[in-house]
């Protein structure tokens, strides 16, 4: 497996795990870290032995946002030319499901990274926030859009305009995250969930992820049409025949990903 400087990678069963690893700067996201993250996710995506991925940090911090040191002297043109923000877009091209396992600070670009994942599992200590207003800027990696779609306008306004942070309980009650576990075992539970998903029919899992994520971009009519096409297409897969025959034969299916 490739050696990276700012992340650690590991494979457990059918799950590819990426750990953000700049603990001294609270996993502040610089371009090097993001490009390593995207490189590792892309190789996991290509690897047929992997069915799902987990992105995590450490118990104290998932990530405290974009690296402020890299941005302090930047002009609008510098920011436009920088590959930093586009690096966040690459995550949208990943076909397999990604789960964020969040503990401690999940702020700014860190919260935007978690929200770019497909599910978010949190420890009891997690704190979610978009504190960019304190720096005289707004979120630039999707925060105004993804947060609003997740928690609704009124809470997003409070968080982005006035640096309201959410505890794990609040984040759960506002539909930002899927589940909360104690700090000691949030990661273990996230990996088990990823493993469960990774063992399901791969083409159907990827089709479902794609169509659900597309629903934020398209009209209901277009989304229903996309869903229908994807549903019909799955009937050309061996896994559809296997899944339905296994049900009728009262046995467990054996998925091939074809
Ligand atoms: N960028 C660069 N360095 C950071 C950082 C960041 N986002 N967050 C923390 N650090 C560094 C600190 O500068 C400090 O470094 P030194 O030890 O060299 O001084 C180290 O991490 C520890 O931080 P603190 O001393 O501040 O630790 P704390 O426990 O008192 O506070 C914290 C922790 C609440 C996370 C605080 O560090 C903090 O508020 N960080 C900034 C959060 C933030 O504003 N995020 C948004 C960034 S902008 C963005 O993300 C734009 C976007 O949309 C893409």
């Amino acid at each position: 497996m490739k050696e990276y400087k700012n992340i650690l990678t590991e494979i457990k069963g059918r799950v590819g795990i990426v750990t953000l690893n700049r603990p001294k700067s609270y996993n502040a996201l610089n371009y090097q870290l993001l490009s390593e993250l995207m490189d590792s996710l892309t190789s996991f995506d290509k690897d047929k032995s992997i069915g799902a991925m987990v992105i995590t940090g450490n118990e104290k911090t998932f990530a405290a946002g974009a690296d402020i040191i890299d941005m302090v002297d930047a002009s609008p043109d510098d920011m436009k030319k920088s590959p930093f923000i586009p690096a966040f877009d690459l995550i949208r091209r990943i076909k397999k499901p990604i789960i964020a396992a969040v503990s401690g600070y999940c702020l700014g670009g860190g919260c935007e990274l978690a929200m770019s994942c497909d599910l978010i599992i949190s420890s009891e200590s997690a704190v979610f926030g978009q504190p960019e207003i304190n720096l005289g800027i707004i979120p630039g990696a999707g925060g105004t859009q993804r947060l609003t779609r997740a928690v609704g306008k009124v809470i997003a306004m409070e968080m982005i305009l006035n640096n309201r942070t959410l505890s794990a309980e609040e984040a759960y009650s506002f539909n930002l995250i899927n589940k909360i576990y104690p700090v000691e075992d949030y990661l273990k539970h996230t990996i088990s969930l990823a493993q469960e998903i990774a063992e399901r029919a791969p083409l159907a899992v990827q089709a479902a992820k794609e169509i659900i994520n597309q629903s934020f971009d398209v009209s209901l009519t277009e989304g229903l049409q996309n869903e229908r096409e994807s549903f019909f297409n799955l009937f050309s897969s061996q896994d559809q025949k296997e899944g339905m025959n296994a049900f009728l034969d009262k046995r467990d299916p054996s998925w091939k990903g074809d």
Side-chain angles (χ1 to χ4, degrees):
M1 206 174 300
K2 252 194 206 167
E3 284 285 320
Y4 296 105
K5 282 196 179 140
N6 301 281
I7 60 168
L8 304 170
T9 56
E10 190 188 350
I11 296 174
K12 278 194 179 163
R14 285 183 46 77
V15 180
I17 305 164
V18 184
T19 305
L20 311 178
N21 191 32
R22 295 185 75 208
K24 284 192 189 134
S25 49
Y26 281 51
N27 288 339
L29 305 168
N30 58 16
Y31 177 63
Q32 289 75 14
L33 184 151
L34 278 179
S35 96
E36 290 179 10
L37 172 65
M38 297 314 158
D39 187 69
S40 60
L41 294 177
T42 306
S43 16
F44 285 153
D45 212 29
K46 286 185 193 147
D47 182 341
K48 265 204 139 189
S49 72
I50 288 173
M53 300 166 218
V54 169
I55 303 177
T56 192
N58 53 59
E59 288 182 3
K60 215 169 146 189
T61 317
F62 178 70
D67 193 323
I68 298 166
I69 295 169
D70 287 353
M71 298 184 292
V72 60
D73 292 321
S75 67
D77 246 24
D78 294 333
M79 289 309 289
K80 272 187 212 162
K81 282 182 197 144
S82 156
F84 176 75
I85 293 291
F88 279 85
D89 291 338
L90 295 179
I91 204 165
R92 296 182 75 196
R93 295 195 205 137
I94 302 295
K95 294 192 165 66
K96 294 170 188 169
I98 308 174
I99 312 183
V102 174
S103 186
Y105 294 115
C106 184
L107 303 176
C111 191
E112 291 169 303
L113 175 61
M115 291 189 295
S116 304
C117 297
D118 303 303
L119 299 105
I120 304 178
I121 303 298
S122 159
S123 86
E124 287 165 346
S125 79
V127 178
F128 297 86
Q130 296 288 165
E132 287 88 346
I133 202 76
N134 293 341
L135 304 169
I137 56 168
I138 63 169
T144 60
Q145 304 303 300
R146 291 202 176 93
L147 184 67
T148 308
R149 281 163 169 77
V151 304
K153 176 181 160 182
V154 294
I155 304 298
M157 285 285 185
E158 256 191 286
M159 290 176 73
I160 295 173
L161 268 52
N162 202 30
N163 190 28
R164 173 172 175 186
T165 53
L166 300 183
S167 65
E169 283 292 345
E170 288 173 314
Y172 181 75
S173 71
F174 296 138
N175 291 327
L176 184 60
I177 62 175
N178 295 82
K179 277 222 158 82
I180 308 173
Y181 292 103
V183 176
E184 306 77 67
D185 52 20
Y186 76 101
L187 184 56
K188 185 185 84 186
H189 285 291
T190 309
I191 295 168
S192 307
L193 174 62
Q195 182 66 29
E196 270 182 46
I197 295 173
E199 279 167 11
R200 297 191 182 279
L203 295 179
V205 164
Q206 288 174 35
K209 165 175 167 152
E210 185 186 3
I211 299 296
I212 293 169
N213 283 332
Q214 265 178 16
S215 74
F216 293 101
D217 270 345
V218 299
S219 68
L220 179 61
T221 307
E222 208 179 322
L224 290 172
Q225 190 54 38
N226 292 343
E227 179 195 78
R228 206 167 291 180
E229 268 170 41
S230 186
F231 173 77
F232 293 153
N233 278 342
L234 286 168
F235 282 76
S236 68
S237 70
Q238 285 185 41
D239 281 351
Q240 172 268 326
K241 303 288 176 273
E242 168 63 10
M244 293 192 180
N245 279 311
F247 175 82
L248 296 173
D249 297 346
K250 303 192 187 309
R251 61 173 171 84
D252 287 336
S254 166
W255 306 121
K256 297 278 183 288
D258 296 319

